[in-house]
Amino acid sequence: MLVDDVRRIAPKVLTEEQREFYFHNGYLLLEEVISSEWLGRLRTATDEMIERSRSISTPDSVFDLEPGHTAEVPRLRRVTSPVDQHPDYWRFARESILADIAADLVGPDVKFHHSKLNFKWARGGAEVKWHQDVQFWPHTNYSSLTFGTYLYDCSMDQAPLGVFPGSHQGELYNLYDADGIWTGALSDSDSAALPAGGEVYLPGPAGSVTVHNCRTLHCSAKNESDLGRPLLLNVYSAANSMPYTANPLPSSHAGEIVRGEPARWAVHDPRPCLMPPDWSGGDYTSLFVTQQREARR
Ligand SMILES: O=C(O)CCC(=O)C(=O)O
């Protein structure tokens, strides 16, 4: 569904103002919309992930580790596809208010694409450079959006998500470097050319949710604070938006309809999209590895 079609259907959980804000700015911050019951379940599942990571010394297809990770002092950078690692992550993606909010923003038929859990560990958790998401996983239209759920309070010191309002209406950037290597980030010159001071950061108490459109420029700083910042990211699209490249973060739940009905017709947006490398061999590593230009350990 395109935005004008979505507008014809009254939102069920958002206000009209919140929805128009999203359409206009390409993002939303919804404070404390996740219940304490869900938060408790997600925190328990996340503690289990950290425990599991202690037995791992090199990153694998599930656990992306910061350099310096040890069993005694785990520094987990990302869990890939947490919905496949603990049933509560998938229940949350399918049953919680997230999918209802998605239905208000993309139309009643909503499809799950992938999830990840970014930790941004205390005292050094890595920066995420400016980028847009859709070049990682192009779809036939630009309805896709990412929800970030703060599992604990996230202050400005803990490197909350930052967005560039309105950037979803602008150009898609090249995420390859001058040598044609995929970096997953804007070049230094493109980042430097962004209008100074135009960015907005989205701190929030535990249970707050950020939403950004797949074209919206976003980033987050290095976490220099003493507190970690686990951020659970879930990506959905309108059911009629079809991915046409390999999913870099494959999931057994990719493509599942979480609200409404599957689409019979694909909807195509005429605006072009940068093609990512071919990750059909399962060789995508992680945003952190490519942005930091780390050799895979
Ligand atoms: O963890 C963050 O702050 C942002 C993550 C992000 O943009 C991504 O994983 O694509």
Side-chain angles (χ1 to χ4, degrees):
M1 252 187 186
L2 301 177
V3 166
D4 281 340
D5 300 319
V6 178
R7 278 195 175 106
R8 285 191 205 106
I9 304 170
K12 294 203 170 90
V13 290
L14 297 178
T15 64
E16 292 278 6
E17 292 70 29
Q18 286 170 321
R19 187 162 76 168
E20 283 307 312
F21 184 96
Y22 172 81
F23 290 152
H24 190 69
N25 293 291
Y27 79 94
L28 269 180
L29 173 65
L30 301 167
E31 292 205 348
E32 297 182 283
V33 287
I34 303 304
S35 69
S36 52
E37 200 221 317
W38 270 123
L39 269 187
R41 285 162 71 173
L42 294 173
R43 286 174 181 176
T44 302
T46 300
D47 289 346
E48 271 182 41
M49 296 299 109
I50 296 169
E51 278 314 298
R52 273 178 56 188
S53 79
R54 288 181 195 272
S55 62
I56 289 164
S57 54
T58 47
D60 60 22
S61 58
V62 177
F63 295 107
D64 182 25
L65 308 173
E66 280 186 20
H69 167 92
T70 61
E72 297 71 37
V73 187
R75 289 189 73 84
L76 190 49
R77 199 155 49 180
R78 170 183 275 182
V79 174
T80 296
S81 201
V83 292
D84 292 315
Q85 299 305 319
H86 192 293
D88 276 342
Y89 292 121
W90 174 239
R91 287 188 192 114
F92 179 67
R94 191 188 52 196
E95 294 167 18
S96 77
I97 194 171
L98 292 193
D100 299 319
I101 298 169
D104 281 351
L105 296 174
V106 307
D109 302 322
V110 181
K111 186 162 61 178
F112 176 80
H113 188 252
H114 74 270
S115 68
K116 53 213 170 185
L117 175 57
N118 285 356
F119 279 85
K120 222 177 256 282
W121 218 266
R123 292 179 295 283
E127 166 196 24
V128 173
K129 296 182 183 176
W130 284 112
H131 68 284
Q132 294 152 313
D133 288 335
V134 74
Q135 299 93 320
F136 289 76
W137 28 263
H139 279 60
T140 55
N141 63 62
Y142 296 105
S143 60
S144 308
L145 32 65
T146 300
F147 288 77
T149 302
Y150 290 125
L151 302 188
Y152 295 89
D153 293 350
C154 178
S155 70
M156 270 310 282
D157 293 341
Q158 287 157 269
L161 193 76
V163 293
F164 221 95
S167 52
H168 65 309
Q169 317 269 25
E171 65 185 294
L172 284 184
Y173 285 84
N174 182 10
L175 306 184
Y176 290 91
D177 70 11
D179 297 324
I181 307 291
W182 177 264
T183 62
L186 266 62
S187 66
D188 290 345
S189 58
D190 281 340
S191 299
L194 296 175
E199 66 274 31
V200 171
Y201 289 93
L202 308 176
S208 299
V209 163
T210 64
V211 190
H212 64 268
N213 178 261
C214 62
R215 299 179 65 101
T216 301
L217 280 164
H218 58 286
C219 71
S220 58
K222 194 169 172 180
N223 180 12
E224 309 277 16
S225 80
D226 291 335
L227 294 168
R229 190 228 58 177
L231 178 68
L232 177 61
L233 296 153
N234 284 298
V235 180
Y236 306 87
S237 73
N240 61 23
S241 186
M242 301 298 167
Y244 51 86
T245 54
N247 191 334
L249 302 175
S251 162
S252 62
H253 296 293
E256 280 192 39
I257 299 297
V258 293
R259 292 291 179 275
E261 302 294 328
R264 180 150 300 198
W265 293 81
V267 171
H268 292 253
D269 187 306
R271 290 171 291 177
C273 188
L274 182 76
M275 287 292 283
D278 178 5
W279 289 311
S280 56
D283 43 357
Y284 179 71
T285 51
S286 111
L287 178 81
F288 297 101
V289 171
T290 59
Q291 288 198 348
Q292 307 298 327
R293 295 175 183 243
E294 283 172 12
R296 200 38 155 155
R297 285 169 280 146

